């Protein structure tokens, strides 16, 4: 793990090592496997680009039932804070009509994105929607959407790494770093 990383005008310090992240993903995968065990349905994993690309890849490797992958791209953050407006940058790459869907998110912060996503997926005719997020900032989340699978809860601080970015930078680090004020 780097002792510090610099992305544009901001510095970040170590926060969650890769081993802790993968242990949390092990836990989430175990729960999902238990819930879908013996089911005849083939659920759709809906990976929300770009942030959840690494999480989805690690999670999928651990799932032991048949599933399909659909992606879509949303954007709501500018710099280190949410704009409150969720933009669909790229639509879904496959259909979710009549399907069970597991939304796979990197992080739930205010929850604006997840509310928008659940409505979109419902609108496209999914018959069952579960939400899976690697990280949750419980101090900020103020919505009522049930978060079915949560890898880890973190305080309200801006982080990067393991898919998460600051102005598109920092996604490539396998550990997670927090802003160093
Ligand atoms: P929400 O709509 O406020 O819940 O924010 C969710 C989205 O904002 C996530 O999918 C991320 O793309 C982004 N986001 C939230 N918190 C962070 C953070 O600490 N670092 C990087 N991106 C974040």
């Amino acid at each position: 793990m780097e002792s510090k990383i610099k992305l544009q005008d901001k510095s970040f310090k170590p926060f969650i090592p890769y081993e802790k992240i993968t242990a949390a993903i092990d836990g989430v995968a175990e729960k999902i496997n238990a819930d879908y065990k013996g089911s005849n349905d083939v659920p759709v994993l809906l990976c929300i680009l770009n942030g959840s690309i690494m999480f989805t890849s690690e999670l999928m490797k651990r799932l032991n039932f048949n599933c399909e992958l659909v992606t879509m791209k949303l954007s709501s953050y500018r710099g280190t804070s949410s704009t409150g407006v969720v933009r669909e940058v790229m639509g879904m790459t496959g259909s979710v009509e009549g399907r069970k869907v597991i939304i796979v998110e990197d992080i739930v912060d205010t929850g604006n994105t997840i509310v928008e996503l659940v409505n979109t997926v419902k609108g496209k005719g999914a018959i069952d929607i579960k939400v899976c997020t690697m990280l949750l900032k419980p101090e900020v989340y103020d919505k009522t959407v049930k978060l079915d699978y949560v890898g880890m809860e973190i305080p309200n601080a801006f982080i990067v790494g393991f898919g998460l970015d600051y102005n598109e930078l920092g996604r490539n680090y396998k550990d997670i770093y927090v802003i160093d004020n």
Side-chain angles (χ1 to χ4, degrees):
M1 197 166 187
E2 309 288 330
S3 60
K4 221 163 223 200
I5 58 175
K6 180 111 171 69
L7 305 172
Q8 293 176 341
D9 56 329
K10 305 250 182 292
S11 291
F12 296 82
K13 59 187 181 189
F15 188 51
I16 312 172
Y18 179 68
E19 294 67 31
K20 250 188 134 171
I21 302 170
T22 51
I25 301 174
D26 286 343
V28 166
E30 211 173 289
K31 286 198 191 101
I32 299 179
N33 280 331
D35 286 355
Y36 290 85
K37 191 177 175 185
S39 165
N40 289 325
D41 298 297
V42 177
V44 170
L45 297 180
L46 180 59
C47 165
I48 311 305
L49 299 172
N50 287 332
S52 84
I53 195 157
M54 277 202 201
F55 175 45
T56 304
S57 126
E58 290 280 353
L59 180 68
M60 281 191 88
K61 285 187 244 176
R62 292 163 169 80
L63 299 182
N64 56 19
F65 53 88
N66 290 338
C67 53
E68 288 178 18
L69 178 65
V70 170
T71 60
M72 75 182 292
K73 185 170 178 184
L74 297 178
S75 170
S76 66
Y77 248 62
R78 190 174 305 129
T80 60
S81 58
S82 173
T83 60
V85 180
V86 185
R87 281 189 311 125
E88 186 177 302
V89 180
M90 184 190 89
M92 285 183 207
T93 57
S95 169
V96 294
E97 198 178 344
R99 306 293 297 274
K100 292 191 172 182
V101 176
I102 305 170
I103 297 173
V104 185
E105 256 289 36
D106 51 355
I107 186 163
V108 173
D109 184 339
T110 62
N112 290 332
T113 306
I114 212 68
V115 168
E116 186 88 8
L117 269 169
V118 168
N119 287 336
T120 303
V121 175
K122 250 186 216 159
K124 300 244 184 228
I127 53 162
D128 181 67
I129 304 168
K130 295 275 190 289
V131 176
C132 173
T133 183
M134 177 172 73
L135 301 165
L136 167 67
K137 295 180 186 170
E139 293 159 26
V140 197
Y141 183 62
D142 59 1
K143 307 296 186 293
T144 53
V145 170
K146 186 178 173 222
L147 306 175
D148 302 276
Y149 311 105
V150 176
M152 222 185 284
E153 294 189 349
I154 62 163
N156 181 23
F158 187 76
I159 58 166
V160 293
F162 203 79
L164 290 149
D165 73 304
Y166 170 57
N167 290 337
E168 294 304 323
L169 299 177
R171 295 194 196 277
N172 50 301
Y173 292 95
K174 71 181 176 46
D175 308 285
I176 290 177
Y177 296 79
V178 65
I179 199 158
D180 194 7
N181 291 312

